[in-house]
Amino acid sequence: MIKINYFYSPEKESEINLEIWKSFIDSGEEGQRIYKEYNNDTYEIQLKAVTEVEQSGLPAIVEEILASSGMGALPILVVNNNVYKYGSFLLIDAIEDVLDIGLSIQVEEE
């Protein structure tokens, strides 16, 4: 099982990143079935909004990064209890690397 935790600032997180995560979470059992069929593994995703006021209850590795780098270190992507990326990074590239899949997104213009 691949455990993915994404810690982000609700004030600064892009809507596109949250939509990417939402699509994985909404895929539910069907998404898990397809992933397991092709990769012989499963994944679990948890998102956590982090504010300057409320930083208790975070994993020690996340607290350490926030203590040394401040809120600018967000977002922080933790995979299997290890920090995978933090700060400024392309979420799609990170997910593709972690889950060994290809992603494509479409953004509708308003």
Side-chain angles (χ1 to χ4, degrees):
M1 157 111 31
I2 301 170
K3 293 185 179 186
I4 301 169
N5 295 285
Y6 187 70
F7 301 90
Y8 66 96
S9 168
E11 295 86 26
K12 296 180 181 176
E13 187 61 48
S14 78
E15 288 183 37
I16 292 174
N17 283 355
L18 293 177
E19 284 297 319
I20 292 168
W21 287 121
K22 185 178 182 295
S23 70
F24 274 97
I25 293 167
D26 287 350
S27 70
E29 290 180 20
E30 181 66 9
Q32 286 284 355
R33 183 190 65 74
I34 293 168
Y35 185 77
K36 185 169 185 165
E37 182 177 317
Y38 287 97
N39 295 70
N40 200 30
D41 205 351
T42 59
Y43 61 84
E44 176 184 295
I45 297 171
Q46 293 186 352
L47 308 180
K48 172 75 172 153
V50 179
T51 63
E52 288 191 50
V53 176
E54 189 177 328
Q55 292 185 12
S56 62
L58 298 175
I61 54 174
V62 173
E63 286 182 357
E64 288 173 20
I65 291 172
L66 292 174
S68 65
S69 301
M71 294 294 285
L74 294 172
I76 301 172
L77 180 62
V78 177
V79 178
N80 294 334
N81 300 315
N82 294 303
V83 173
Y84 187 77
K85 295 210 181 244
Y86 69 93
S88 180
F89 61 91
L90 292 174
L91 181 61
I92 290 179
D93 291 346
I95 293 172
E96 287 179 336
D97 288 345
V98 169
L99 295 178
D100 193 25
I101 60 173
L103 293 176
S104 176
I105 64 167
Q106 296 179 3
V107 179
E108 293 182 20
E109 293 184 29
E110 294 182 32

